[in-house]
Amino acid sequence: MGVMLFGESYDCLPQGRLKSRADTPNWRLFSSAEDTFSHCKLVHQFNISNMIHKHALEFYGYIKLINFVRMKKPTAEYLNSLSSPLPWEEEEYLKPELEDDLLLQFDIEDLYASTNISEPNGLSDNTAILEQLKCTEHRAKLAETALARAQEDLQKMRQFAQDFVMNADVRSNSSSSSAIAELRDDEDGVYFSSYGHYGIHEEMLKVVLDVGCGTGILSMFAAKAGAKKVIAVDQSEIVYQAMDIIRLNNLEDTITLVKGRIEEVDLPVEKVDIIISEWMGYFLLFESMLDSVIYAKDKYLAEGGSVYPDICTISLVAIGDKNKHADRLAFWDDVYGFNMSCMKKAVIPEAVVEVVDPSTLISEASVVKRIDCHTTSIPDLEFSSDFTLTITENTVCTAVAGYFDIFFEKNCHNSVMFSTGPQCTKTHWKQTVFLLENPISVKTGEALRGKITVVKNRKDPRSLIITLSVNNTKQTYSLQ
């Protein structure tokens, strides 16, 4: 397949402008990307290598440049005159303008390797060497950034696998440490051992939909477990990293990636048999993707299909932590001799996401919401619930903490769950703490009654407004 200069049906004229084949009999078809770049440099004074070095373009930047040139057909003079910000920085230029464009398959590392350091822009040898060193340094920094991002993604994969699957025995805290140790020794072995609990193997020769796939870790687990086809959907730019990861693991024949919101994209199938998603947010529902999972379930899940996780609960527990209460509230009564108690009104309404010391728990937990992902609807995600917290010691209640548990139950031979509660293995979801302005004196065996109301913030539907009534004292909190 030949390579046209800057488009399948366009060529560069001596002035550097693009012209269609119909307008000139002298269009040229090049046999390689190198020939194309050489022609640009010799005939039109446009040096693609210098352009990459000048703007420190990495692989995706190069792709955007090529697609920008094909789409906008700029002059060589215009391209040579550009400075930051670059006109091709928008994500739309990641989409190939030409199908099977060989220029997009060119490894720009070859350009870095083949650059003649004695002649860029007519600079002296010393200056040229300095320029080359600067480029090398910049490439090293890009590589460091990419490595850091990859390491962060890997850590997220490990953490999620640990939280999402490994803690099948989380009800027994003594087994959590050994599960984590096994994960570090043999992540795949532990995962697939736990995966057998789901009983999904009987159904795995089916189509799986991963909503909000991120780096594609769940999609790859599903593919390795035997899924016939996996469709992974994510609207963020991380989907491009997922493409690379999936190719590196030779799973591109099984996993199809789709970029966009599940509510807006067209899937290559009408129905799926299983939906998987790591949709949970803080306090389960903050910035969660459950709305999208519900949409996917209603539109794409085949009759009798399964959504995992399928059961989720939100629980509350009382906290007695005088020191932390003093740090956050009493502190404002005397700040270096000044009364700033008015600041309490600004501090209290902000729910705090943090790890709660289990030694500060002073009640049994109370479930205030149960969600079955197979039957729930979007309106169900706003709710009110009465609760009773049975106190376990004589002290004062300074706050109420919320957390969630998730379960895998439908078609599972052995029910699997994990908890984000303060008495279990720490997770990145931590707990959500609602501070009480005035601590409440409580006694062992006392029933501390209250009511919680959770609604979406109308100005920001992904955040929550939570109203808590305890002992006839009402306080509204924001989680945002």
Side-chain angles (χ1 to χ4, degrees), residues 17-314:
R17 294 187 179 277
L18 295 172
K19 187 173 181 180
S20 69
R21 292 184 186 181
D23 294 333
T24 176
N26 297 320
W27 59 271
R28 295 182 57 187
L29 186 66
F30 297 93
S31 60
S32 69
E34 289 86 347
D35 288 344
T36 303
F37 299 148
S38 178
H39 176 83
C40 289
K41 180 179 178 180
L42 296 175
V43 178
H44 306 297
Q45 292 74 53
F46 176 74
N47 190 321
I48 188 70
S49 179
N50 285 352
M51 180 68 64
I52 290 173
H53 284 77
K54 176 182 177 181
H55 300 295
L57 300 182
E58 37 73 52
F59 178 67
Y60 292 113
Y62 163 76
I63 288 178
K64 291 180 179 180
L65 167 62
I66 296 301
N67 289 325
F68 171 79
V69 172
R70 293 206 185 280
M71 293 172 64
K72 302 301 183 181
K73 308 173 183 57
T75 65
E77 290 82 1
Y78 170 76
L79 290 172
N80 289 329
S81 69
L82 289 174
S83 60
S84 185
L86 300 173
W88 57 78
E89 291 181 348
E90 297 298 325
E91 299 304 323
E92 63 178 296
Y93 296 113
L94 280 172
K95 182 179 180 182
E97 178 69 5
L98 298 182
E99 185 177 356
D100 298 325
D101 189 343
L102 290 183
L103 290 184
L104 300 185
Q105 301 173 33
F106 181 76
D107 187 354
I108 64 171
E109 292 293 323
D110 294 341
L111 291 178
Y112 280 113
S114 63
T115 299
N116 186 340
I117 64 174
S118 65
E119 62 174 10
N121 300 322
L123 299 175
S124 68
D125 287 348
N126 289 338
T127 304
I129 292 173
L130 289 174
E131 289 297 317
Q132 183 73 359
L133 289 174
K134 289 179 181 178
C135 291
T136 302
E137 181 182 9
H138 182 77
R139 291 175 61 208
K141 289 181 179 179
L142 288 176
E144 289 177 359
T145 301
L147 177 61
R149 187 183 302 125
Q151 290 174 331
E152 182 181 356
D153 287 344
L154 179 59
Q155 182 58 37
K156 289 180 180 178
M157 289 180 189
R158 288 174 174 164
Q159 179 67 47
F160 176 71
Q162 178 180 315
D163 293 342
F164 197 69
V165 179
M166 296 305 121
N167 295 334
D169 297 325
V170 73
R171 290 190 182 101
S172 173
N173 289 328
S174 62
S175 67
S176 297
S177 297
S178 60
I180 296 171
E182 291 174 18
L183 173 63
R184 290 169 180 161
D185 291 338
D186 184 1
E187 293 178 6
D188 286 345
V190 177
Y191 177 85
F192 290 114
S193 173
S194 296
Y195 208 90
H197 290 303
Y198 294 151
I200 293 178
H201 282 293
E202 299 174 0
E203 306 177 352
M204 260 301 162
L205 291 177
K206 295 186 178 183
V207 179
V208 176
L209 172 61
D210 183 356
V211 179
C213 66
T215 55
I217 182 65
L218 292 185
S219 295
M220 291 189 292
F221 279 142
K224 286 291 187 181
K228 179 174 68 176
K229 185 176 184 63
V230 181
I231 301 165
V233 181
D234 202 298
Q235 66 174 326
S236 74
E237 302 307 311
I238 201 171
V239 76
Y240 298 113
Q241 278 72 46
M243 291 178 183
D244 293 336
I245 293 169
I246 287 166
R247 280 195 293 266
L248 285 173
N249 289 275
N250 300 314
L251 292 172
E252 62 268 30
D253 291 337
T254 302
I255 301 173
T256 299
L257 282 157
V258 179
K259 185 178 187 301
R261 298 179 69 246
I262 188 66
E263 294 87 348
E264 298 172 354
V265 300
D266 293 321
L267 299 188
V269 296
E270 290 187 2
K271 294 293 180 181
V272 300
D273 304 293
I274 297 171
I275 294 176
I276 57 176
S277 179
E278 191 279 285
W279 54 263
M280 299 82 70
Y282 297 132
F283 199 62
L284 188 65
L285 299 176
F286 170 65
E287 284 193 340
S288 83
M289 295 189 301
L290 184 52
D291 290 29
S292 296
V293 173
I294 293 172
Y295 175 90
K297 174 204 67 174
D298 293 342
K299 183 172 183 178
Y300 294 110
L301 190 63
E303 184 176 354
S306 300
V307 180
Y308 295 106
D310 53 334
I311 303 297
C312 311
T313 62
I314 300 175

Side-chain angles (χ1 to χ4, degrees), residues 204-431:
M204 260 301 162
L205 291 177
K206 295 186 178 183
V207 179
V208 176
L209 172 61
D210 183 356
V211 179
C213 66
T215 55
I217 182 65
L218 292 185
S219 295
M220 291 189 292
F221 279 142
K224 286 291 187 181
K228 179 174 68 176
K229 185 176 184 63
V230 181
I231 301 165
V233 181
D234 202 298
Q235 66 174 326
S236 74
E237 302 307 311
I238 201 171
V239 76
Y240 298 113
Q241 278 72 46
M243 291 178 183
D244 293 336
I245 293 169
I246 287 166
R247 280 195 293 266
L248 285 173
N249 289 275
N250 300 314
L251 292 172
E252 62 268 30
D253 291 337
T254 302
I255 301 173
T256 299
L257 282 157
V258 179
K259 185 178 187 301
R261 298 179 69 246
I262 188 66
E263 294 87 348
E264 298 172 354
V265 300
D266 293 321
L267 299 188
V269 296
E270 290 187 2
K271 294 293 180 181
V272 300
D273 304 293
I274 297 171
I275 294 176
I276 57 176
S277 179
E278 191 279 285
W279 54 263
M280 299 82 70
Y282 297 132
F283 199 62
L284 188 65
L285 299 176
F286 170 65
E287 284 193 340
S288 83
M289 295 189 301
L290 184 52
D291 290 29
S292 296
V293 173
I294 293 172
Y295 175 90
K297 174 204 67 174
D298 293 342
K299 183 172 183 178
Y300 294 110
L301 190 63
E303 184 176 354
S306 300
V307 180
Y308 295 106
D310 53 334
I311 303 297
C312 311
T313 62
I314 300 175
S315 299
L316 299 179
V317 64
I319 296 177
D321 192 336
K322 298 177 183 177
N323 292 333
K324 186 157 288 187
H325 190 276
D327 288 343
R328 290 189 177 157
L329 289 185
F331 164 80
W332 297 105
D333 291 332
D334 185 354
V335 182
Y336 301 108
F338 297 100
N339 185 343
M340 296 187 180
S341 58
C342 58
M343 285 296 297
K344 294 180 182 180
K345 298 298 182 182
V347 173
I348 294 171
E350 294 182 359
V352 179
V353 176
E354 64 182 9
V355 175
V356 172
D357 182 349
S359 68
T360 64
L361 303 182
I362 61 169
S363 80
E364 297 177 2
S366 175
V367 175
V368 294
K369 181 65 175 178
R370 183 181 188 275
I371 296 173
D372 184 338
C373 293
H374 290 103
T375 59
T376 195
S377 61
I378 291 177
D380 293 336
L381 306 185
E382 296 186 316
F383 64 92
S384 291
S385 176
D386 295 323
F387 62 85
T388 299
L389 302 176
T390 302
I391 301 300
T392 56
E393 61 180 272
N394 298 330
T395 184
V396 293
C397 176
T398 59
V400 174
Y403 64 91
F404 66 88
D405 302 332
I406 69 169
F407 303 80
F408 300 78
E409 294 188 349
K410 184 177 180 182
N411 298 327
C412 297
H413 297 310
N414 297 304
S415 177
V416 179
M417 65 86 69
F418 81 79
S419 174
T420 64
Q423 291 181 311
C424 299
T425 304
K426 296 176 184 178
T427 71
H428 70 274
W429 287 285
K430 305 178 185 178
Q431 292 86 41

